[in-house]
Amino acid sequence: MAPAGLSLGTSVLCLLAWARLATADRVYIHPFHLLVYSKSSCDQLEKPSAASPPDPTFTPVPIQAKSSAVDEQALREQLVRATQKLEAEDRLRAVNVGMLLNFMGFHMYKMLSETRSAASGAVLSPVALFGTLTSFYLGALDPTASRLQAFLGVPGEDQGCTSRLDGHKVLSALQTIQGLLVAQGGAGSRARLLLSTVVGLFTAPGLRLKQPFVQGLSAITPVTLSRSLDLSTDPDLAAEKINRFMQAVTGWEMGRPLTGVSPDSTLLFNAYVHFQGKMKGFSLLPGLQEFWVDNTTSVSVPMLSGIGTFHYWSDTQNNLSVTRVPLSANACLLLIQPHCAPDLRQVEAVTFQHTFLTWMKNLSPRAIRLTVPQLTLKGSYDLQDLLAQTKLPTLLGAEANLGKISDVNLRVGKVLNSVLFELQADEGEQPTESAPQPAGPEVLEVTLNSPFLLAVLERDSAALHFLGRVSNPLSAA
């Protein structure tokens, strides 16, 4: 299997090769041609159809209507089955989207990090973020659709329909990226990795949503819960009802629950992501261990410890070290630790950039005894706030044309992404990269008992599923 940095580099080389071919043959090939409409699809779309029926619509049921609980194992098996039918083009499309979502993830993580103090944590899902914005693209008409396409990183090139992003292809690629993360072992196997995404569409009473839009979301999330409630009379009560509803359906306790719903909102789009990873060959240490939040303050937390051969790099220039821990054959956890705890902000600034994955070539096998906190990270962020920080406060504002979501002018309120990230021990097996248990002075002790950074990487698509800063394992991000 090629390393993640090589996969990403290969995709860039492919794009450059396509561009050269286009110049040489004088035939234009869009650099992201796997993500835009094909010529045949455009011909079909541009056919005159005077009798085209309007899209069917429906009114979401009230929020108090009975709902079934989310079956996370069933969601995982659905993702696994989807990866069993992949063709070469599907995998290359996933690499393209993985590259785009990584760039956006780094940029938006920087925005998120700047809003949080160094003493607070942060956790962001680039996949959920990119999927949320693609979902809005799916429901948008111009000029909003063109602005969203540009923000997603795919140039329109003024080439007409064949330069138009196909939202369904992008969401399908995101499903592939999710499936590749959890697919190890196949459907029905004992799950070491769980990844579940649930979307809640909350509307004002009487508002009708278009069925093709909601059905189109099924690729990124098989569970889309459309519910109506009064958002204007008592916005705080509305937020409380939404939080109770999502907790009852998912069973997840999210950090920073929804608050402060704008009374003039008619649509809220909330994406909820639950990740659970088990570290093979690690065990829970007896008792609680000290984690130093700063030079003078410590908290007592459960810690996991394991010994094996892991890939490791100590960067003396940037004063940090990187340890790669396998979560499965395709997925790994990257732990970034500053050599000096107060330097976390500086390390964060040089780490989560577009060159991050090229660092993977610097890692080499090393016998390590690794100790890391058992993690339950909870984080929420409003994409409307992040868009405002990127100088795009109106992208999903009152003037946004979302005519493929509803026939009425929508006022989009909060666009929440909530993440529940869990890291646990899996004592049953040794790490995938582990050699026979090393012993003696050559074993390097790596203990993450002070603030550090983390990332979860799926290596086939080179997609980063999570980026995070752990300042205090006991506090919500």
Side-chain angles (χ1 to χ4, degrees), residues 86 105 122 169 192 195 222 234 279 356:
L86 295 178
K169 288 182 179 179
R192 296 191 188 93
L195 181 66
D234 188 339
M279 299 176 70
F356 176 50

Side-chain angles (χ1 to χ4, degrees), residues 21-104:
L21 287 172
T23 304
D25 297 340
R26 294 291 185 265
V27 175
Y28 178 77
I29 301 176
H30 195 283
F32 289 101
H33 75 273
L34 292 175
L35 305 180
V36 297
Y37 283 108
S38 65
K39 182 66 167 62
S40 59
S41 296
C42 286
D43 291 342
Q44 189 67 30
L45 289 171
E46 292 169 356
K47 279 184 180 179
S49 180
S52 178
D55 288 333
T57 63
F58 71 99
T59 302
V61 298
I63 196 168
Q64 60 267 27
K66 187 175 181 180
S67 301
S68 301
V70 171
D71 184 342
E72 291 195 79
Q73 187 60 34
L75 294 182
R76 175 187 176 274
E77 291 183 1
Q78 188 169 339
L79 286 174
V80 171
R81 284 194 294 269
T83 64
Q84 294 169 349
K85 306 172 185 176
L86 295 178
E87 299 180 357
E89 186 173 285
D90 299 317
R91 293 180 181 273
L92 187 54
R93 185 178 289 119
V95 171
N96 286 180
V97 172
M99 179 170 58
L100 291 171
L101 71 86
N102 287 348
F103 281 123
M104 177 175 286

Side-chain angles (χ1 to χ4, degrees), residues 189-200:
S189 65
R190 185 171 68 92
R192 296 191 188 93
L193 300 181
L194 280 177
L195 181 66
S196 307
T197 303
V198 175
V199 166

